[in-house]
Amino acid sequence: SSNSEGQITMYLSENGDADLSGGKIYVLRLKEISDGNGGKMTCEAGIVHNEGELDFGITYDVEFVEIADGAALTKDEMEEACIAVGATAFMRVEDVDYQKGNDANGRNVFVAVTGRGPGRGTYNDWGTAYRLQLDPQNPPSGKLTQIISGNTDTNNMDGNLPLLQSPDNIAVTENYIYLQEDPNSFDRGHAAYIYQTDLDGNNAKVVLELEVRQELDPTGSTGLSGEFGALTDISDKVGIPGTFLLA
């Protein structure tokens, strides 16, 4: 999206996992936002809320609302439809993954939101990540929690990871989250990291760092561009625990 920056979207079919065309398209809409004092308040109808209205670590009720004939809409039509139903805006949704292990775990969905960079006047400068817990009885509803945020000194200034810059990809195992950076458009003075956290976004540590060989650039660049691509846990495929494929 251009005007709203991005939404979290769900495709839902009642015809089984193989049905990739006969289902419906939904977008996430907050039912609650922060009251500005550490509590929560009910969202007012007809207002498009954004992730800047959420407090870090607080869990909010959400719902998914249908976009009628969503598969037939153009990009601009889809954005207009999202605004019309009050879909919640996120500053550049980039990637989604789910907890592994069993079907119940699979209802825990994790979302990486890149942010826009400092000095842009937006509601998310450095990037965030969310845990979305889908209701097992009613999947188009659930609870949303911001569990990782680089906004420690900007925006709401309540983040937990001051090194974070432009999270772009996310991989989730049964027990851990791996968040991958892409500092091509803005950075905090270091090349791309991959962080590991627990499923609550705590105990963050850098597990891999991209080494940028600037002396090999014929133009003499001093930039830190370069990103990690898809990270996939292939432990069950190769029979070796803790084995990943990194693009």
Side-chain angles (χ1 to χ4, degrees), residues 92 94 112-118 124-128 150 163-169 179-188 190 192-193 195 226-228:
R92 299 170 65 194
E94 290 285 351
V113 181
T114 292
R116 181 58 71 183
N124 183 355
D125 287 353
W126 293 106
T128 49
L163 291 175
L164 185 65
Q165 53 181 15
S166 189
D168 191 65
N169 294 97
L179 195 60
Q180 303 145 251
E181 295 181 330
D182 173 13
N184 286 324
S185 56
F186 57 92
D187 65 75
R188 271 179 155 152
H190 62 82
Y193 290 164
Y195 303 91
E227 64 175 295
F228 291 107

Side-chain angles (χ1 to χ4, degrees), residues 109-164:
V109 180
F110 296 80
V111 183
V113 181
T114 292
R116 181 58 71 183
R120 305 289 185 89
T122 73
Y123 47 79
N124 183 355
D125 287 353
W126 293 106
T128 49
Y130 291 85
R131 180 180 60 228
L132 171 63
Q133 298 165 288
L134 297 175
D135 187 328
Q137 305 303 320
N138 182 29
S141 65
K143 297 181 180 297
L144 184 73
T145 311
Q146 186 182 112
I147 58 171
I148 301 173
S149 171
N151 297 316
T152 56
D153 56 0
T154 61
N155 304 122
N156 293 346
M157 295 189 289
D158 58 359
N160 65 335
L161 190 50
L163 291 175
L164 185 65

Side-chain angles (χ1 to χ4, degrees), residues 64-112:
F64 282 84
V65 291
E66 183 182 351
I67 299 294
D69 298 319
L73 301 182
T74 65
K75 172 184 176 294
D76 289 342
E77 289 170 341
M78 176 62 80
E79 180 161 18
E80 291 173 0
C82 287
I83 293 172
V85 299
T88 300
F90 295 83
M91 189 55 63
R92 299 170 65 194
V93 177
E94 290 285 351
D95 199 17
V96 178
D97 200 5
Y98 61 94
Q99 184 187 3
K100 311 307 187 294
N102 54 51
D103 288 347
N105 287 355
R107 288 189 285 270
N108 295 321
V109 180
F110 296 80
V111 183

Side-chain angles (χ1 to χ4, degrees), residues 32-54:
E32 303 173 309
I33 57 172
S34 171
D35 65 3
N37 293 301
K40 297 185 286 187
M41 58 186 290
T42 301
C43 290
E44 184 178 345
I47 295 178
V48 175
H49 295 282
N50 66 64
E51 61 171 318
E53 297 172 89
L54 306 178

